[in-house]
Amino acid sequence: MNLNEEVHKAFEVIQNGGIILYPTDTVWGIGCDATNEEAIKKIYALKQRTETKSMIVLMNGEKMMYNVFKEIPEVAWQILDLSEKPTTLILDNPRNVAPNIIADDKTLGVRIVKEPFCFKLMERMKRPLVSTSANISGMFTPKSFKEISPEILNGVDYVVNLHHEKNCDKPSTIIKLSSDSQVKIIRK
């Protein structure tokens, strides 16, 4: 399948408030426009997940990061520069995203991706992309496309036709950075 064609199809679905199943730099993800509250509700419903468990958001670079976070601790950039594997940072006081994606403690988990499909899709969207593992809440995280349950496959508006044969290793490392510069590793 053609990368640009898939980006175009996924973009159209997202523009219309739909949710997609797509390959990320880690595991397969379910995603939508991070500014669309209704689309985010669809993901929570599909995953049978309570809205108090927040999801992470993918971004394609510094500009998008600064659009969502007015202040980003210097240590955040250092961690991202030094990380050898995909790393999600949980940062304080996000803005310009749907309220139902922000955690109760006013934080949001974000990951900057270089994966070509995600990167190009966000270039088109000019917005962050929600990313949550492609499973029903509480079930195991699928490591490959063929492990994704029929409920998830049938519950999304579009399944991206790329990397169906790829096996993923682990989800990203998660590090929480608070504005008072405290660093806490949530998932290695």
Side-chain angles (χ1 to χ4, degrees):
M1 261 320 222
N2 174 322
L3 177 67
N4 292 332
E5 205 175 296
E6 287 303 309
V7 166
H8 177 72
K9 287 177 181 169
F11 175 72
E12 297 220 303
V13 168
I14 285 174
Q15 281 293 90
N16 293 317
I19 61 177
I20 63 167
L21 180 66
Y22 65 102
T24 73
D25 51 343
T26 58
V27 295
W28 273 79
I30 303 170
C32 68
D33 174 347
T35 66
N36 184 328
E37 200 168 345
E38 291 308 308
I40 292 167
K41 282 181 184 166
K42 287 186 200 170
I43 294 179
Y44 279 119
L46 175 61
K47 283 185 64 94
Q48 299 165 28
R49 184 174 184 158
T50 59
E51 288 201 19
T52 52
K53 284 192 83 173
S54 60
M55 297 184 282
I56 74 158
V57 168
L58 301 181
M59 300 194 182
N60 66 359
E62 261 184 59
K63 190 173 171 216
M64 202 175 271
M65 287 278 287
Y66 279 111
N67 187 36
V68 176
F69 300 98
K70 198 160 68 185
E71 291 169 16
I72 300 171
E74 188 50 44
V75 66
W77 302 115
Q78 292 165 352
I79 290 169
L80 293 175
D81 288 344
L82 297 170
S83 301
E84 285 172 15
K85 61 182 205 163
T87 299
T88 298
L89 296 178
I90 300 175
L91 300 172
D92 289 334
N93 303 316
R95 58 197 177 147
N96 302 327
V97 290
N100 58 342
I101 197 145
I102 298 172
D104 293 342
D105 63 356
K106 303 276 180 282
T107 60
L108 180 65
V110 294
R111 189 163 81 243
I112 293 182
V113 292
K114 296 177 179 75
E115 195 285 320
F117 171 79
C118 296
F119 189 88
K120 285 184 166 226
L121 178 58
M122 285 184 281
E123 261 184 349
R124 287 283 304 271
M125 291 167 59
K126 299 189 177 19
R127 295 198 171 119
L129 179 67
V130 170
S131 184
T132 179
S133 55
N135 59 341
I136 303 291
S137 207
M139 306 295 272
F140 79 100
T141 300
K143 290 190 180 1
S144 67
F145 182 77
K146 60 181 182 294
E147 291 179 3
I148 299 169
S149 76
E151 279 166 286
I152 297 288
L153 291 168
N154 298 327
V156 297
D157 299 304
Y158 186 66
V159 176
V160 173
N161 289 304
L162 294 168
H163 309 305
H164 284 202
E165 63 305 312
K166 185 178 123 188
N167 281 324
C168 303
D169 34 10
K170 292 206 275 306
S172 64
T173 298
I174 300 180
I175 299 174
K176 185 169 186 164
L177 299 178
S178 46
S179 34
D180 57 5
S181 296
Q182 283 191 316
V183 177
K184 187 174 166 199
I185 295 176
I186 310 279
R187 179 173 72 199
K188 274 197 162 127

